[in-house]
Structure formats: structure tokens, C-alpha cells
């Protein structure tokens, strides 16, 4: 059963990565490449979104194609509140998280009564319902989306500054990863992973399987909402594309590349996918071919994902 044992090597690698990320803004500024600070923020935000989906799929074994609904819900919540004059991150971001969690609770309470391909299809159906609802509401921008006229405020921090915003995003991601690592080693984490491995046996042992899966689903949705709140601040636009099923597919590709069931799989996958996309776009208009080859290589030669190559993936025991 795939538990996530800590190791000194893993802790050292995590510490070195954190140091490198902390130094990134000053390095980019010294090279007069400030654009990459904003790009790094975007990558880290998608790493958070992919990590939230990895919790649902990799830990809980629930293959959801509707995760984009929670991602977009968080973004739209912040944008709508900003239009109403609420720009405090201390209020808007927790509300975005709460709205996404409530939406996940409603969708999960219905969807988790099904299994297999039926669960996949019903989560996809709910996400598309939310997508078309948002597109139809002209007061929320319709097809054009909803502009965020100014970034959220966070105490004395100036989030309009890309470097400051980058550090807030980095701190948020680091705290979420730490929390999920603890969750993986908790009783809840061990139970939810056991349910993923053999749901029938856990039901026979008397565990409330539905409740455990629903809680896992809601936590994943809430974290996706938080990622959406950060993304709308980074891009300045709450777009209907964030709610589309293709966004769910993109997040799924990230965790397949990074490692399904690895705490760091979403981060690794988001970094590789988005940076490779930036690279391939520069050299060819057919950049999707390069990404397709990358995904094919991972599936064939790294079935546990890139994180699994470094011993961070889910055990096959």
C-alpha cells in the first residue's frame, strides 16, 4: 500500500529546492528578466491546483474530470468580491476556498454515489454545467470573463509587486505541501489510501467509506479554489476557460507527468508541463507534439511519474 515515508534525502532535496525558489526573484532581477518572476508565480499556482487534484486521484483513487469547476469557482469568487469593493485577501481568499469547498461538497455528495466511468462522467457533467452557467451570466462577463481591476491586499504587503506576490504564492504552496505530507501520515491519510487500494475490504471492516471519500474530495476542491484565487490575482482575469473540462485534463496530465499519488507529483508535473510549453512554443507552432512525446515517454519509461524516479512516488507494494 502506497504510504509516503519521509527520508533524509527527500528532506534535503526539498530544502534545496526551497532555497533555489527563494533566490529566483533576485536572480531574475539581476539578469533583467523580471517576466520570469510572474511566470514562476503562475507555475507555482498551477502546481497548487495540480496538487489538489492529486489528493483526489492519487490519494483517494477518485478520477475526477470536474476539478476545474472548483479552480474556476475560486477565481470568480475573488473577482466578484473585488467588483463589490472587497479586496482584502484575508477575507476574499478564505471565501474563495469556502465557495469551492461548498461546491465540492454538493458535487461530491451526488457523484460519489457512483463508481468507475460513471463517476468520471458525472463529475465532467457537473463541471460543464457550471461552465455554461458562468458563460450565460453576462453580469459576470460571459464569454469574455471578469476582469480583476486590482490585486487583493494582504496587510502591509504590496501584492501589486510581482516579487512580493511570488513569495506569497510560494509560502502558500509550501504550507499546503507540508499539510498534505502530514495528512498522508495521519490516520485519515492511511484510511483514504487503504480505501483507494481496496474499497470493498474497508467497507467490510466497518469504515464509513463514503464519508472519508467525500471529505477528501472536499479538501481537494477547497485547495483548487485557493489556487483559483491566486491565479486571478496573477493574471487579472477570471476566465470561463478555467472552468472548462480541458482545464481538468491539463491538471490531470500534470499529475501523470509528475507522479500520481506523490505529494510532490503535482509540483513536478506543473513545472515540467508549463516550462516545456514555454520552450516548445518558441521553437514550433506545433508545440503540442512535443508535449505529447513527453507524456508518452513518462507513461512508457516512468510509470510512477518523474517524482517516482527520485523515490518520491507511490509505492507499488
Amino acid at each position: 500500500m502506497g504510504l509516503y515515508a519521509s527520508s533524509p534525502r527527500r528532506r534535503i532535496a526539498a530544502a534545496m529546492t526551497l532555497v533555489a525558489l527563494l533566490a529566483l526573484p533576485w536572480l531574475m532581477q539581476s539578469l533583467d528578466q523580471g517576466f520570469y518572476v510572474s511566470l514562476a508565480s503562475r507555475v507555482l499556482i498551477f502546481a497548487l491546483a495540480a496538487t489538489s487534484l492529486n489528493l483526489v486521484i492519487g490519494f483517494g483513487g477518485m478520477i475526477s474530470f470536474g476539478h476545474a469547476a472548483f479552480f474556476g469557482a475560486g477565481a470568480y469568487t475573488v473577482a466578484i468580491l473585488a467588483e463589490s469593493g472587497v479586496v482584502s485577501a484575508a477575507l476574499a481568499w478564505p471565501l474563495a476556498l469556502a465557495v469551492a469547498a461548498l461546491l465540492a461538497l454538493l458535487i461530491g455528495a451526488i457523484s460519489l454515489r457512483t463508481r468507475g466511468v460513471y463517476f468520471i462522467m458525472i463529475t465532467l457533467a457537473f463541471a460543464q454545467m457550471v461552465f455554461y452557467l458562468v458563460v450565460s451570466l453576462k453580469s459576470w462577463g460571459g464569454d469574455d470573463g471578469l476582469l480583476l481591476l486590482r490585486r487583493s491586499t494582504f496587510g502591509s504587503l504590496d501584492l501589486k509587486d510581482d516579487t512580493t506576490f511570488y513569495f506569497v504564492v510560494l509560502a502558500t504552496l509550501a504550507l499546503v505541501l507540508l499539510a498534505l505530507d502530514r495528512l498522508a501520515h495521519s490516520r485519515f491519510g492511511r484510511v483514504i489510501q487503504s480505501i483507494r487500494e481496496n474499497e470493498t475490504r474497508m467497507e467490510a471492516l466497518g469504515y464509513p467509506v463514503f464519508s472519508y471519500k467525500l471529505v477528501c474530495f472536499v479538501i481537494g476542491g477547497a485547495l483548487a479554489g485557493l489556487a483559483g484565487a491566486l491565479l486571478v490575482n496573477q493574471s487579472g482575469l477570471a476566465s470561463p476557460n478555467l472552468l472548462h473540462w480541458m482545464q481538468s485534463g491539463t491538471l490531470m496530465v500534470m499529475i501523470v507527468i509528475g507522479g500520481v499519488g506523490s505529494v510532490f507529483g503535482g509540483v513536478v508535473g506543473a513545472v515540467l508541463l508549463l516550462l516545456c510549453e514555454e520552450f516548445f512554443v518558441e521553437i514550433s507552432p506545433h508545440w503540442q507534439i512535443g508535449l505529447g512525446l513527453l507524456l508518452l515517454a513518462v507513461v512508457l519509461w516512468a510509470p510512477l511519474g518523474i517524482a517516482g524516479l527520485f523515490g518520491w512516488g507511490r509505492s507499488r507494494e
Side-chain angles (χ1 to χ4, degrees):
M1 187 173 66
L3 301 179
Y4 303 84
S6 297
S7 68
R9 185 178 66 175
R10 176 177 155 183
R11 290 194 293 269
I12 292 172
M16 292 176 61
T17 301
L18 181 59
V19 170
L21 290 172
L22 288 171
L24 179 66
W26 289 291
L27 176 61
M28 292 298 100
Q29 289 171 1
S30 67
L31 298 174
D32 197 24
Q33 298 291 335
F35 160 76
Y36 289 104
V37 176
S38 180
L39 175 62
S41 296
R42 183 176 180 83
V43 170
L44 294 180
I45 292 168
F46 272 95
L48 175 57
T51 297
S52 70
L53 179 58
N54 210 359
L55 173 64
V56 174
I57 295 179
F59 284 65
M62 297 169 279
I63 304 176
S64 171
F65 246 108
H67 211 67
F70 317 129
F71 192 34
Y76 269 92
T77 299
V78 171
I80 292 168
L81 287 173
E83 273 204 330
S84 304
V86 179
V87 294
S88 171
L91 180 60
W93 295 4
L95 278 175
L97 190 149
V99 168
L102 179 59
L103 184 60
L105 178 62
L106 294 174
I107 293 176
I110 299 173
S111 302
L112 288 171
R113 300 183 187 279
T114 64
R115 295 186 182 183
V117 69
Y118 301 104
F119 176 79
I120 297 173
M121 296 308 297
I122 199 170
T123 55
L124 172 60
F126 273 117
Q128 288 303 96
M129 287 167 59
V130 176
F131 169 77
Y132 286 115
L133 174 64
V134 170
V135 168
S136 68
L137 294 175
K138 300 304 178 185
S139 59
W140 291 0
D143 287 327
D144 297 325
L146 191 59
L147 286 173
L148 185 73
L149 299 180
R150 55 174 297 192
R151 281 183 177 174
S152 302
T153 59
F154 197 81
S156 60
L157 297 177
D158 181 16
L159 296 187
K160 292 183 290 185
D161 177 65
D162 284 340
T163 300
T164 303
F165 181 72
Y166 167 83
F167 283 122
V168 170
V169 172
L170 177 59
T172 302
L173 176 61
L175 290 173
V176 168
L177 289 174
L178 178 62
L180 290 183
D181 191 55
R182 294 293 182 88
L183 182 69
H185 292 87
S186 70
R187 181 177 183 273
F188 174 84
R190 293 174 185 271
V191 170
I192 199 67
Q193 291 173 78
S194 298
I195 292 171
R196 179 200 66 211
E197 297 295 330
N198 195 324
E199 184 173 334
T200 303
R201 176 181 293 179
M202 295 301 288
E203 284 180 338
L205 290 173
Y207 285 92
V209 169
F210 179 85
S211 298
Y212 271 96
K213 292 174 70 174
L214 183 58
V215 170
C216 181
F217 193 81
V218 170
I219 293 173
L223 292 177
L226 177 59
L230 293 171
L231 185 64
V232 73
N233 275 275
Q234 189 272 332
S235 65
L237 176 67
S239 169
N241 290 335
L242 297 177
L243 298 150
H244 199 268
W245 70 269
M246 290 186 67
Q247 188 66 71
S248 298
T250 299
L251 296 177
M252 196 171 292
V253 170
M254 288 178 180
I255 63 175
V256 169
I257 292 175
V260 177
S262 167
V263 172
F264 298 104
V267 178
V268 174
V271 171
L272 284 175
L273 183 66
L274 295 180
L275 293 186
C276 285
E277 180 180 321
E278 286 290 322
F279 172 75
F280 289 131
V281 165
E282 294 294 326
I283 63 176
S284 172
H286 307 293
W287 55 270
Q288 294 93 338
I289 296 176
L291 292 181
L293 292 174
L294 172 63
L295 180 60
L296 182 62
V298 169
V299 170
L300 291 176
W301 292 296
L304 295 180
I306 301 299
L309 296 177
F310 299 93
W312 300 341
R314 189 172 77 192
S315 172
R316 285 186 177 273
E317 296 177 3

